[in-house]
Amino acid sequence: MRIVMPRRWAALSLALAAALAAQAAFAQPSSAQKPAARSAAAQGAAAQGAADSADEQPARVERLHYTYTVQPDGTYTEQRESALKVLREAAVEEAKYAGIGYSASLQTLDVVEAYTLKPDGRRIAVPKSNYQVLTNQGRGNGGPAFSDIATTRLVFPDLAVGDTVVLNYRLVGKQPMFEGQFSDTSSFSDYAYMGDLTLKYDLPASMKIRKEAYGRLKSVRDEVVGDRRIVEWSFSNRQPRKAGLRTTPPFDLTRTNGASVSTFASYGDIARVYGERALPKAVPTERVRKLADEIAAGKTEPREVAQALYEWVSLNINYAGNCIGLGAVVPRDQDFVLDNRIGDCKDHATLLEALLAAKGIEATQALINSGTGYTLAPVPVASAVNHVLNYLPGLDLYLDATAKGVAFGELPWSVAGKPVLRVDRPDLPARTPAPARLANRQSMKTELTVAEDGSIKGSMTVELAGQPAMEFRAGLRDLSDKDAAELVKKVYESGGIQAIGSFRQDDPKPLRSRHNFQVDIEAKQVVPMPGAFALGAFFTTPLPVAALVGSGSVAQIEDEGEGLCIGGRSEETYRIEFPKSVKVLAKPQDLKLESNGSRYEASYRLEGNVLHAHRVIEDVSVGPVCSGEYNRGYSEFASKVLPNLKAQVVYQ
């Protein structure tokens, strides 16, 4: 399956609109994160629609200037100046708001100037009454104890088409991320308008740095002035490229217009300085030793013990806070995490490491990127790794206790097949395992009886494995018996259809990579009589055949452009009984196709007034990254499958 952001397991119910309406309730978004936008102006530019030409875009960034002034201890002042011009009415509402995020305990914000610039040169300043400071307290992030990220929100007055939003502010750091170290990286798209960009670093000349620029960034300055070294780049993109339909590429800094500056000599150094602070926190306390004994009681095999401890942390410690970032590189004390039953990724990893150590199981921590990056750029920067896992050398196993719902021995899609920095062996090149071939599976069996008035009665049983099973389980983990009893009715009511039915599933609470459920349904006047419909699930499912086909469009993928992909197997069996008074006039044609190991097979037959249908698709993509050539081949294959999925059963 070729992936287009935002990624989710799409539940495509082709037959009934009601099932489509229910999708939002079940789809579990990937934990994969896109690289953070540099500023409100940059974020607005990215949102304006990459496919538009410069003249068509509703807003554009006219000016974007960054200056980092670094001190010998690694603290720094960050100054940002941006100017966003509003070109269309559609952009006015979004452009009038700007949010500045920062660490409230480690940074001081100084808004130098903020104003609306009119075409005639008038400046309308943002009054202090238009400033609002928002913190994470009360937002489900655990409050200031777990995340001190604050946002100052500004509302620009009297904004209209043709105006420019100007924002200039300074963030003064009080504490370095790592003592005596500094690193930063930036990237800018070919698909977004950029008027005038400057990227400037002012560092102590005594700091040994590695630096590199990519794409069309131009070196403006690199010189020593007194005891300071000034490095500066510029960039302009007044004729942005027009993006066509394509798969989502993995993020690769070297293929962007980007630059990096770092005092780290290697990625191993990043793992080492993290470990210096984190590992002392992983020494098991007496409380943790006692807890480990209770959790693993009766278990002797290391794998069984490790599974019990992993599942306890995953199910009992909630997630909150900042994994890796300014002021967020030291795990919290074990007692604090246990008392509050909450923590970020490094807190989860540290507690699990301590529990494992208490039972004599060797474990370490590993730093990884949880976004769409699958390579490490040449210049090592701390922001390249924003998540923490555990690695168990004795079992050769990676565990992510932060990823709720993931079974022991599995990894969430967002961290599979990626480079990791192991704290125990910082200089060892290592990667997490890639997804297994055809590990993601769905098998659906549907039996329906259609009445003369178009009402339906029937059942659907679904067997899931792999990521679809884990994500579906996670989405329904807190479903009460009462809600389960009303689920079918409410799903169909959302589509304006009267229905009754039942929903039964395996216990979703254990962390397992398999899941089965069954839906029984009686719905009023769903099918047009006479009429036609395409075959599809009458209730939402996470991996229908259609999800592995997608739109079927042959994407214009650039020769050098890889794409994110994930494979799987989906099988659908239908038995649909029509009234004896109804005559089936047409049905889809049988079809067999194969391409690079992937295959699709479908058969349809009539026995009197009963339609039997069976179709299966196998997408053998391993992923998480497929070549452009492979993706083009699969798109061509999918484009031949799609008409068969859309073909309708016609009756009168």
Side-chain angles (χ1 to χ4, degrees), residues 453-465:
D453 66 350
S455 299
I456 62 170
K457 181 178 181 180
S459 65
M460 180 179 78
T461 59
V462 179
E463 298 178 357
L464 302 170

Side-chain angles (χ1 to χ4, degrees), residues 27-97:
Q28 297 298 303
S30 165
S31 61
Q33 303 169 4
K34 291 183 287 187
R38 277 299 198 142
S39 68
Q43 189 173 8
Q48 59 189 281
D52 295 336
S53 71
D55 294 334
E56 296 170 338
Q57 293 174 343
R60 68 188 187 196
V61 178
E62 299 289 2
R63 183 171 66 257
L64 202 55
H65 294 171
Y66 300 116
T67 300
Y68 292 84
T69 304
V70 184
Q71 303 306 320
D73 65 353
T75 58
Y76 62 90
T77 297
E78 176 181 354
Q79 179 130 5
R80 303 187 180 189
E81 181 183 349
S82 63
L84 179 70
K85 186 171 183 177
V86 178
L87 304 177
R88 290 187 175 187
E89 188 66 36
V92 171
E93 188 61 26
E94 183 177 354
K96 72 188 295 184
Y97 299 100

Side-chain angles (χ1 to χ4, degrees), residues 381-400:
V381 295
S383 59
V385 284
N386 59 2
H387 189 56
V388 185
L389 309 174
N390 289 104
Y391 177 68
L392 282 57
L395 299 176
D396 190 20
L397 194 65
Y398 287 93
L399 301 174
D400 186 358

Side-chain angles (χ1 to χ4, degrees), residues 271-293:
R272 271 186 283 271
V273 296
Y274 169 81
E276 289 171 1
R277 298 186 183 188
L279 294 186
K281 298 283 188 176
V283 177
T285 63
E286 284 304 313
R287 179 181 180 182
V288 164
R289 292 184 182 280
K290 181 179 178 181
L291 177 61
D293 289 340

Side-chain angles (χ1 to χ4, degrees), residues 542-560:
L543 190 62
V545 168
L548 291 173
V549 175
S551 67
S553 299
V554 181
Q556 297 300 313
I557 304 168
E558 300 172 357
D559 290 340
E560 74 278 9

